Amino acid sequence: MALRPIICIPDNRLRLKSQPIERVDDDVRRLMDDMLETMYDAPGIGLAAIQIAVPRRVVVIDTSKEGEDARPISFVNPEIVWSSEEKSVYQEGCLSIPEYYEDVERPARVRARYLDREGRENEIEADGLLATALQHEIDHLNGVLFIDHISRLKRERVWKKFVKAAKHNANEPGHPAHDSREL
Ligand code: NI
């Protein structure tokens, strides 16, 4: 396993549409392991492959709380096949938009279809934080960020802030400390 650098806005690769995985092989499992290690290290509760600059449809999530046993789930080619009418609001963050949080409204429950680590077809029904995380990460695979779900004014403000910071930090790349709610 290896830690991989996480890319942040305004890096435009975050806007790419990731490509489906054709076969879940050892390369894909290695990618999942690297993603999990990178996510736990950040720390975060979800990560999409594009956040480590790999435009493939792979997501890892672990919504277990501190002190609980780790419950990592790897998703290949995940797809939402049903969402509830009922909505819920959660204050989201993102490892690619460090230290920025905003309320986002999404369907409260979703069902997703995906391939697991072994390449088997699987379905999961999620609510609460897992439902939010799944939708947030699947958005990443389509080049969509959680700030796309907030007002344009707020989005432009945060984008400008990161453009400015990127110019400022051009000579000293680094990654600030993260809150555990980042996805
Ligand atoms: Ni994110």
Side-chain angles (χ1 to χ4, degrees):
M1 297 216 283
L3 278 180
R4 308 261 208 116
I6 296 175
I7 60 175
C8 293
I9 65 167
D11 192 318
N12 275 323
R13 286 173 291 182
L14 290 165
R15 291 306 193 184
L16 290 174
K17 194 169 156 61
S18 294
Q19 295 302 308
I21 297 282
E22 279 173 21
R23 203 165 60 89
V24 184
D25 55 16
D26 286 346
D27 279 347
V28 173
R29 280 186 282 272
R30 227 175 340 257
L31 172 64
M32 288 168 173
D33 290 342
D34 285 357
M35 287 171 64
L36 280 166
E37 187 178 348
T38 304
M39 178 187 83
Y40 287 128
D41 178 75
I45 60 171
L47 193 74
I50 190 58
Q51 292 181 273
I52 55 164
V54 177
R56 305 180 78 189
R57 301 185 86 81
V58 178
V59 160
V60 294
I61 294 176
D62 187 343
T63 55
S64 61
K65 295 195 189 73
E66 228 184 298
E68 289 179 356
D69 287 341
R71 272 198 317 269
I73 316 178
S74 304
F75 302 87
V76 173
N77 302 340
E79 224 184 309
I80 305 278
V81 292
W82 173 83
S83 356
S84 65
E85 294 283 320
E86 189 200 338
K87 310 276 187 201
S88 69
V89 175
Y90 191 83
Q91 193 185 49
E92 295 188 27
C94 180
L95 292 170
S96 296
I97 313 172
E99 292 169 356
Y100 181 76
Y101 306 94
E102 200 55 65
D103 282 350
V104 177
E105 187 186 77
R106 300 183 186 266
R109 294 191 310 285
V110 294
R111 194 177 313 129
R113 194 172 293 155
Y114 65 100
L115 301 177
D116 67 14
R117 276 182 78 89
E118 263 45 72
R120 293 175 300 225
E121 280 202 34
N122 230 309
E123 230 175 71
I124 189 169
E125 193 159 327
D127 61 6
L129 182 53
L130 182 57
T132 294
L134 258 172
Q135 293 172 82
H136 177 119
E137 302 310 337
I138 291 174
D139 269 358
H140 272 301
L141 303 182
N142 296 318
V144 174
L145 300 168
F146 86 90
I147 53 172
D148 297 328
H149 296 287
I150 65 177
S151 77
R152 195 168 66 125
L153 188 72
K154 284 179 179 167
R155 177 167 61 254
E156 285 175 355
R157 201 182 293 150
V158 63
W159 194 272
K160 274 189 203 139
K161 200 181 109 182
F162 277 84
V163 168
K164 219 167 139 188
K167 279 184 193 148
H168 187 76
N169 296 332
N171 295 324
E172 39 167 321
H175 214 60
H178 290 305
D179 182 275
S180 58
R181 269 202 303 252
E182 288 171 342
L183 299 152

